[in-house]
């Protein structure tokens, strides 16, 4: 399969190049040159398959020209080493729990797939690969833990000083080994801008083999489609239409759902739910797409003012704006509404994290306006990961899962960094 750039469909590269480069040289995002379809029979058969079997089928369709069957199995087994259960919260409202991986957020799926795929594609290369990652929280921990101890790879994580929860921070600043954390005096968008500039810097790229594990990388992005297939297959539909509500920041996760839909999964509707960083809901309402500076909120992993996967969504809808606006409905919520949702859902026996709360609210509002649906919201992180917010909302202590508590023991080790590009470049040059 060839991968093309969203900036120029004539710019085509191999899977290996798309994965190692991350971002196309023209600043576009890579997209699969063709989208394989599941047959109706294959879709009907999903409920009888395990999560991994669904993974072999879907990844097999996408990667069969590039990887052997045994490599595909290895890749899927490594990625789907934990479950993604669908839990009923209310009648016709289900939570898809994506937080059962090592760092308790959905980004574990993409990070594990990405590190495994890179190691499969890089076996012949001698040069150390530097993975640059900008994080607003969960990407850093998922990527750091996904790549920890992987030979020939060094991970450099940029995160905004003071804007990431202590628990999140501990998950990528305490690991040591091949993981370096840079504490940037700025906001997430500054971190993202530094990383983008480094990838586009010809001088730097002559000296270093740089790659990205942000959600812009197809190796992070594509595997996220798997849990949509799985959840759909397990969802009791009773003749109702199906809607997925996705709490969104960079819009990679929802984009992967749309990819699953394009591959033939009969999802009727998507809801893009955001916090007050509502560039996409505004666009979906009919305004022009306009990037804005990010605003800090309680659902901080979605504090993104310039969602990097937006061109991918456009490409998935073949740049047809009206189709895009018809299939995806946008909703946004402020911190008060987010806290209220955590409080109202708790008595139903379910604890939301602030991101899942935004997804839940979007789903409920959509379903109120559109009867006849059964809905799934993506619960993208364990509530214990945002312990301060959830405990304050509920007025009670949360029990932390063991693997989360273990991170708290580690010592934070970071390198401070300004938000100017020259300082960052100087740091990278010294690595070579
Ligand atoms: C990253 C993240 C999101 C946003 O996902 P995107 O793919 O960037 O839209 C939502 N919730 C949590 C917990 C996250 O870590």
């Amino acid at each position: 399969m060839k991968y093309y750039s969203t900036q120029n469909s004539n710019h085509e590269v191999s899977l290996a190049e798309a994965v190692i480069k991350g971002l196309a040289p023209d600043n576009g995002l890579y997209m699969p040159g063709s989208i394989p379809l599941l047959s109706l029979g294959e879709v009907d058969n999903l409920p009888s398959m395990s999560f991994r079997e669904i993974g072999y089928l879907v990844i097999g369709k996408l990667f069969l020209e590039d990887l052997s069957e045994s490599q595909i199995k290895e890749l899927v087994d490594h990625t789907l080493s934990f479950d993604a259960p669908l839990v009923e919260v209310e009648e016709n409202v289900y939570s898809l729990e994506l937080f059962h991986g090592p760092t308790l957020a959905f980004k574990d799926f993409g990070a594990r797939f990405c590190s495994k795929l890179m190691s499969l594609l890089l076996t012949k290369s001698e040069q150390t690969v530097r993975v640059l990652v900008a994080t607003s929280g969960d990407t850093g921990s998922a990527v750091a833990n996904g790549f920890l101890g992987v030979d020939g790879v060094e991970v450099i994580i940029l995160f905004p000083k003071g804007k990431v929860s202590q628990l999140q921070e501990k998950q990528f600043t305490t690991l040591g080994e091949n993981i370096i954390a840079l504490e940037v005096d700025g906001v997430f968008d500054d971190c993202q801008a530094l990383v983008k500039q480094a990838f586009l810097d010809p001088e730097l790229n002559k000296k270093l083999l740089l790659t990205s594990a942000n959600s812009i990388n197809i190796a992070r992005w594509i595997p996220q489609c798997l849990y949509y297939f799985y959840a759909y297959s397990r969802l009791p539909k009773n003749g109702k239409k199906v809607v997925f509500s996705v709490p969104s920041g960079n819009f990679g996760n929802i984009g992967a759902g749309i990819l699953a839909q394009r591959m033939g999964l009969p999802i009727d509707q998507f809801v893009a739910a955001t916090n007050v960083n509502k560039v996409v809901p505004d666009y979906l309402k009919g305004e022009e797409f306009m990037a804005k500076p990010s605003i800090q909120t309680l659902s901080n992993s979605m504090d993104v003012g310039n969602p990097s996967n937006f061109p991918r969504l456009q490409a998935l809808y073949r740049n047809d704006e009206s189709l895009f606006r018809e299939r995806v409905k946008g909703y946004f919520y402020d911190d008060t509404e987010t806290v209220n949702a955590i409080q109202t859902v708790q008595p139903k026996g379910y604890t939301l994290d602030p991101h899942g709360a935004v997804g839940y609210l979007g789903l409920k509002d959509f379903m109120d306006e559109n009867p006849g649906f059964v809905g799934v919201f993506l619960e993208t992180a364990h509530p214990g990961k945002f312990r301060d917010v959830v405990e304050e909302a509920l007025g009670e202590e949360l029990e932390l899962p063991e693997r989360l508590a273990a991170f708290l023991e580690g010592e934070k080790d970071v390198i401070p960094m300004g938000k100017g590009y020259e300082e960052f470049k100087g740091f990278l040059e010294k690595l070579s």
Side-chain angles (χ1 to χ4, degrees):
M1 169 105 72
K2 290 287 186 199
Y3 291 82
Y4 70 91
S5 162
T6 51
Q7 292 281 354
N8 174 5
S9 55
N10 295 320
H11 173 85
E12 286 189 325
V13 299
S14 66
L15 173 66
E17 193 172 342
V19 171
I20 308 303
K21 288 250 166 71
L23 192 66
D26 59 12
N27 224 345
L29 307 185
Y30 286 116
M31 289 294 285
S34 65
I35 297 183
L37 264 181
L38 269 71
S39 68
L40 286 178
E42 284 169 327
V43 173
D44 285 345
N45 200 31
L46 294 174
S48 69
M49 297 165 77
S50 69
F51 197 4
R52 286 189 186 187
E53 285 167 342
I54 291 174
Y56 307 147
L57 173 71
V58 173
I59 296 303
K61 297 246 177 207
L62 285 157
F63 292 96
L64 205 56
E65 288 166 29
D66 300 286
L67 299 175
S68 70
E69 219 166 297
S70 69
Q71 285 177 317
I72 287 170
K73 185 166 185 309
E74 197 183 334
L75 189 56
V76 170
D77 288 347
H78 179 75
T79 308
L80 304 184
S81 56
F82 47 91
D83 198 18
L86 200 58
V87 177
E88 187 175 14
V89 176
E90 295 164 24
E91 200 184 356
N92 293 321
V93 172
Y94 291 81
S95 168
L96 174 58
E97 293 188 345
L98 300 176
F99 56 71
H100 294 275
T103 72
L104 298 102
F106 81 94
K107 292 188 177 76
D108 283 328
F109 287 97
R112 292 177 73 77
F113 188 92
C114 185
S115 64
K116 190 56 154 189
L117 183 56
M118 275 187 192
S119 75
L120 290 172
L121 295 171
L122 279 170
T123 39
K124 289 175 217 100
S125 154
E126 309 264 290
Q127 204 183 349
T128 302
V129 180
R130 261 78 186 210
V131 177
L132 302 185
V133 194
T135 185
S136 56
D138 287 338
T139 300
S141 49
V143 170
N145 286 274
F147 281 83
L148 182 64
V150 173
D151 276 344
V153 182
E154 196 164 56
V155 179
I156 296 142
I157 295 175
L158 292 83
F159 70 102
K161 183 178 176 177
K163 301 206 168 48
V164 171
S165 85
Q166 194 214 357
L167 257 170
Q168 286 180 319
E169 212 175 276
K170 285 273 187 180
Q171 290 179 311
F172 57 81
T173 60
T174 60
L175 297 166
E177 291 189 53
N178 57 333
I179 313 296
I180 301 171
L182 304 183
E183 187 170 47
V184 176
D185 197 1
V187 295
F188 170 71
D189 293 327
D190 297 317
C191 299
Q192 190 147 273
L194 286 175
V195 167
K196 280 200 171 179
Q197 200 169 345
F199 286 133
L200 297 173
D201 183 334
E203 208 180 272
L204 200 55
N205 283 275
K206 256 185 232 145
K207 294 186 196 148
L208 296 167
L209 181 53
L210 297 178
T211 183
S212 137
N214 266 86
S215 59
I216 50 174
N217 195 309
I218 45 160
R220 283 271 320 277
W221 180 63
I222 286 179
Q224 297 171 351
C225 74
L226 296 177
Y227 42 74
Y228 290 89
F229 286 96
Y230 181 53
Y232 181 90
S233 77
R234 298 312 194 257
L235 183 68
K237 292 174 268 296
N238 301 319
K240 290 187 159 55
K241 288 190 278 188
V242 174
V243 52
F244 276 80
S245 173
V246 187
S248 296
N250 267 316
F251 284 76
N253 202 2
I254 194 170
I258 298 166
L259 174 67
Q261 186 190 44
R262 288 276 322 265
M263 289 182 76
L265 191 68
I267 298 174
D268 297 284
Q269 188 73 45
F270 284 96
V271 167
T274 70
N275 56 32
V276 290
N277 293 283
K278 59 183 180 63
V279 169
V280 175
D282 284 347
Y283 166 82
L284 292 169
K285 250 185 5 209
E287 289 175 26
E288 226 169 295
F289 178 83
M290 190 135 60
K292 305 228 167 79
S294 58
I295 303 164
Q296 208 180 332
T297 76
L298 295 179
S299 46
N300 65 28
S301 298
M302 311 197 297
D303 293 350
V304 182
N306 187 9
S308 55
N309 280 286
F310 189 73
R312 245 181 204 139
L313 304 193
Q314 291 177 302
L316 285 164
Y317 288 116
R318 303 182 190 87
N319 295 309
D320 179 342
E321 281 203 321
S322 54
L323 184 67
F324 186 173
R325 288 182 171 130
E326 181 191 308
R327 296 283 171 80
V328 186
K329 295 294 168 207
Y331 295 86
F332 68 92
Y333 301 94
D334 65 20
D335 282 347
T336 309
E337 292 168 306
T338 305
V339 167
N340 282 342
I342 296 172
Q343 290 167 339
T344 42
V345 172
Q346 167 82 357
K348 301 176 203 273
Y350 199 80
T351 307
L352 295 168
D353 100 291
H355 305 79
V358 168
Y360 169 84
L361 286 169
L363 182 62
K364 290 289 283 183
D365 281 339
F366 175 82
M367 288 174 70
D368 281 347
E369 291 161 22
N370 302 272
F373 276 86
V374 57
V376 177
F377 66 94
L378 275 53
E379 183 39 291
T380 47
H382 190 285
K385 233 181 149 164
F386 299 91
R387 184 186 189 172
D388 301 351
V389 177
V390 178
E391 288 185 345
E392 190 173 323
L394 298 177
E396 61 185 61
E397 266 189 42
L398 284 186
E399 208 173 311
L400 288 191
E402 229 167 83
R403 58 195 190 290
L404 193 51
F407 282 113
L408 281 173
E409 320 258 298
E411 275 298 309
K412 173 174 167 178
D413 182 13
V414 297
I415 299 170
M417 184 77 39
K419 61 183 175 186
Y421 180 64
E422 288 310 315
E423 184 183 352
F424 178 52
K425 181 172 177 174
F427 164 81
L428 290 176
E429 281 176 324
K430 278 200 225 105
L431 293 175
S432 58

